[in-house]
Amino acid sequence: KGADICLLSVTGTGSSILSALQDLFSVTWLNRSKVEKQLQVISVLQWVLSFLVLGVACSVILMYTFCTDCWLIAVLYFTWLVFDWNTPKKGGRRSQWVRNWAVWRYFRDYFPIQLVKTHNLLTSRNYIFGYHPHGIMGLGAFCNFSTEATEVSKKFPGIRPYLATLAGNFRMPVLREYLMSGGICPVNRDTIDYLLSKNGSGNAIIIVVGGAAESLSSMPGKNAVTLRNRKGFVKLALRHGADLVPTYSFGENEVYKQVIFEEGSWGRWVQKKFQKYIGFAPCIFHGRGLFSSDTWGLVPYSKPITTVVGEPITIPRLERPTQQDIDLYHAMYVQALVKLFDQHKTKFGLPETEVLEVN
């Protein structure tokens, strides 16, 4: 009987230990899950803050440094800036190390973001990707084409993606280095001409065609693109014989909410003036807070973003394309984009009746 009591005691103790271990592992896993989520939030926030304030902050710090005992550092950087001024126009200085940072994988998993390939791209050709829609910050474009988080280089082997953005960003100290390290370049004619004519083949320039005008109408639940009168990218493609690739990012408009000013209002007037003279349009937008999704902040909402790269449209090389040529291939591009949207919309949560609005 004593042996039976002892056995029961040992069995009970073993069960208690096993139960305690199970509780410990469940708590550890729970904490790990929370840590992963916070790392994702922080990784997204660092990019948002870099995009919004890094350039201005570094400019102020550089000017202040001129007035301190560390003025030599500012002089050396400024000298470097003068000699390196035209590097962004030649495709920049991409770093595979930066593109493969672990922070970008946390960035990807926060939403999550994925890249869908529908056709192969030939390394013997150059390409212009039209990216739609702009959203508030083009987060899908950045993650998919300026980092290796979604394995763009493996999905399109031999293709070098260059995400084109406002040239003014490359006048900002430190920010310009950060952008170039990811393969981001200025969206101007000089840069695009260089990449498509003097940088060999296998180049893919990603242009967010709708630009600032499209960002002003970005809102959850809306699938609209500013494209009807945007034909400059088609002209560039014709001049260089670069194939056009329609690209649509489902969910890009879902990650931020913004105040939409009606046409004719003072708010829209201010936005258009900024757009005309500075190149960007200030938006009043918000996402979630850093520690809670129930508060407002700069962290985007964690909504899935799926970027679908469509079938390339073969473009002939015409040194002096006529307006008729431009209109023809622009119409082909619009048709291909609408077709791409219709083919994939139901796969990513949109109803069959959803129509892509082309403005």
Side-chain angles (χ1 to χ4, degrees), residues 294-305:
D294 297 326
T295 58
W296 287 8
L298 290 175
V299 180
Y301 293 105
S302 55
K303 303 290 184 180
I305 299 175

Side-chain angles (χ1 to χ4, degrees), residues 252-305:
E252 184 70 65
N253 284 343
E254 306 299 316
V255 298
Y256 278 115
K257 297 177 182 178
Q258 75 161 315
V259 177
I260 304 293
F261 293 104
E262 297 295 330
E263 288 293 338
S265 66
W266 67 269
R268 183 52 64 96
W269 179 84
V270 170
Q271 289 176 324
K272 286 187 173 181
K273 289 298 180 183
F274 266 84
Q275 180 187 337
K276 180 178 179 180
Y277 294 110
I278 301 179
F280 76 94
C283 301
I284 300 176
F285 66 91
H286 73 85
R288 50 156 289 181
L290 177 60
F291 299 106
S292 172
S293 58
D294 297 326
T295 58
W296 287 8
L298 290 175
V299 180
Y301 293 105
S302 55
K303 303 290 184 180
I305 299 175

Side-chain angles (χ1 to χ4, degrees), residues 148-256:
E148 293 297 328
T150 55
E151 301 186 328
V152 61
S153 295
K154 291 182 180 179
K155 291 177 179 176
F156 299 102
I159 301 298
R160 293 181 300 277
Y162 293 89
L163 177 60
T165 188
L166 290 175
N169 289 323
F170 297 91
R171 301 186 186 103
M172 300 286 190
V174 181
L175 176 62
R176 68 191 294 275
E177 323 298 340
Y178 196 16
L179 296 178
M180 286 193 291
S181 67
I184 302 177
C185 66
V187 61
N188 56 35
R189 179 172 170 176
D190 289 344
T191 304
I192 296 172
D193 282 345
Y194 180 90
L195 292 174
L196 295 180
S197 62
K198 299 178 181 179
N199 200 45
S201 60
N203 301 292
I205 302 173
I206 297 89
I207 300 176
V208 186
V209 179
E214 191 171 87
S215 69
L216 296 180
S217 60
S218 171
M219 59 185 297
K222 186 172 184 178
N223 288 285
V225 296
T226 301
L227 179 59
R228 199 172 300 281
N229 296 316
R230 300 290 175 109
K231 300 180 181 181
F233 74 105
V234 178
K235 185 177 181 179
L236 284 169
L238 284 165
R239 288 180 61 244
H240 295 283
D243 295 346
L244 290 171
V245 183
T247 306
Y248 196 86
S249 227
F250 294 90
E252 184 70 65
N253 284 343
E254 306 299 316
V255 298
Y256 278 115

